[in-house]
Amino acid sequence: MGGMGLPGLWLFLTVVLAVSILLAVGFVLFADKTVYRPGGKGETGSLSSFVTTVALVYGALLGFTVVVAWEQFSSAETNVTDESSTLATMYRQTISLAPPEQEKMRTLLRVYTTSVKAEWDNQGSDAASADARAAITEMYRALGSQHGPPTVDNPINAEIRDQLNVLTAQRNTRILDAIPRIPGLLWTGLLFGGVLLIGLIGFSRLDSRRNHMILSSAIAILLGLLLFLIFWLDHPFGRQMGVTPRSFDYTIQVFDGVDGTK
């Protein structure tokens, strides 16, 4: 979603709603010219049971998918917040390091944070993640290269190393969260079920064609909005909407605040 951008996202929503309305109106007109044409034989008594059955089954599938997608979205948002918080904690912990190691770790933490913000539009790809991966590797080397008595382990080094392990896990989770989780087969079922339900409603009979079009279009718009919501939740990362890199902006402010206490 980040690569699509806010204008592209709104355009995609407009297309989804337009297609939904066209399907609804098209099915009503098609039914009027075939089943309910003058002289035709229109029977809707047995159709209502099919509409009810399809609506119940499709509603359960749609509701389940929305809940799962929302849980995944919330998990991705929480993980990003935790990642930025871990960076701020590590930067504060560098206060206890010796000057050479302190300067190197702070530089690497800033490089990592800047790289993460730069790669936001390419979540799930390797387009801009090389610098962040290299920064993490260098942080491990910086902590491992510090010299001291072999029997004495600096507690602050151990704490920073633990935080670095957490940061690495959070980064891996964020990259995996960027990969859409809803399989194509489920999308096929959602789209087919939506078209089928709109079609059955279109072939239902109302005395007023205009009211029939309005009712069918309203239901189609609702289904289109829910499908768009699922798509949006399944692509959580974005600059303006969704999970944004705003928390990393605050992290940089924390960095500046720690540097200002020297």
Side-chain angles (χ1 to χ4, degrees):
M1 190 179 68
M4 184 179 294
L6 188 60
L9 192 65
W10 285 113
L11 178 61
F12 181 63
L13 175 59
T14 303
V15 171
V16 170
L17 297 182
V19 171
S20 301
I21 295 173
L22 288 176
L23 283 174
V25 174
F27 276 120
V28 172
L29 294 177
F30 181 74
D32 285 341
K33 292 182 179 180
T34 54
V35 180
Y36 305 116
R37 68 185 186 279
K41 185 179 180 181
E43 296 181 358
T44 60
S46 60
L47 187 60
S48 60
S49 61
F50 286 103
V51 175
T52 302
T53 302
V54 172
L56 288 175
V57 174
Y58 185 72
L61 176 62
L62 195 62
F64 171 77
T65 308
V66 169
V67 171
V68 171
W70 173 253
E71 289 178 349
Q72 293 175 351
F73 178 89
S74 299
S75 176
E77 188 174 32
T78 301
N79 182 73
V80 168
T81 303
D82 292 341
E83 184 179 3
S84 62
S85 177
T86 301
L87 286 169
T89 300
M90 292 180 65
Y91 205 88
R92 290 190 177 100
Q93 289 176 330
T94 59
I95 294 177
S96 301
L97 294 177
E101 290 81 8
Q102 179 187 98
E103 185 66 26
K104 185 173 183 178
M105 284 296 297
R106 290 186 176 184
T107 300
L108 291 172
L109 286 170
R110 284 186 177 273
V111 169
Y112 176 84
T113 305
T114 304
S115 300
V116 167
K117 293 180 62 179
E119 72 181 357
W120 208 258
D121 291 331
N122 300 290
Q123 291 289 344
S125 68
D126 292 331
S129 59
D131 290 342
R133 287 199 303 266
I136 287 182
T137 302
E138 289 300 319
M139 280 188 270
Y140 275 110
R141 289 175 179 170
L143 292 175
S145 64
Q146 296 183 20
H147 301 288
T151 59
V152 179
D153 189 13
N154 190 343
I156 192 62
N157 291 351
E159 291 180 10
I160 296 178
R161 192 179 298 110
D162 290 341
Q163 290 293 329
L164 183 57
N165 293 333
V166 173
L167 178 67
T168 303
Q170 290 167 341
R171 170 177 171 77
N172 293 337
T173 301
R174 172 168 54 82
I175 293 176
L176 293 176
D177 285 339
I179 302 174
R181 303 293 182 87
I182 299 179
L185 185 60
L186 180 56
W187 272 115
T188 301
L190 290 172
L191 294 175
F192 176 77
V195 172
L196 177 62
L197 183 57
I198 295 173
L200 290 175
I201 295 173
F203 276 87
S204 301
R205 186 63 174 168
L206 291 180
D207 293 333
S208 172
R209 178 190 294 180
R210 183 184 65 179
N211 292 340
H212 194 184
M213 288 183 179
I214 293 175
L215 176 62
S216 183
S217 297
I219 296 175
I221 289 174
L222 175 61
L223 296 180
L225 284 173
L226 289 175
L227 290 174
F228 174 80
L229 176 63
I230 293 172
F231 174 83
W232 178 66
L233 293 174
D234 200 36
H235 298 75
F237 296 101
R239 285 286 181 180
Q240 290 84 19
M241 298 178 63
V243 182
T244 68
R246 193 175 301 114
S247 59
F248 291 97
D249 294 332
Y250 172 75
T251 301
I252 293 179
Q253 294 178 12
V254 172
F255 291 173
D256 295 336
V258 173
D259 289 342
T261 60
K262 293 180 178 180

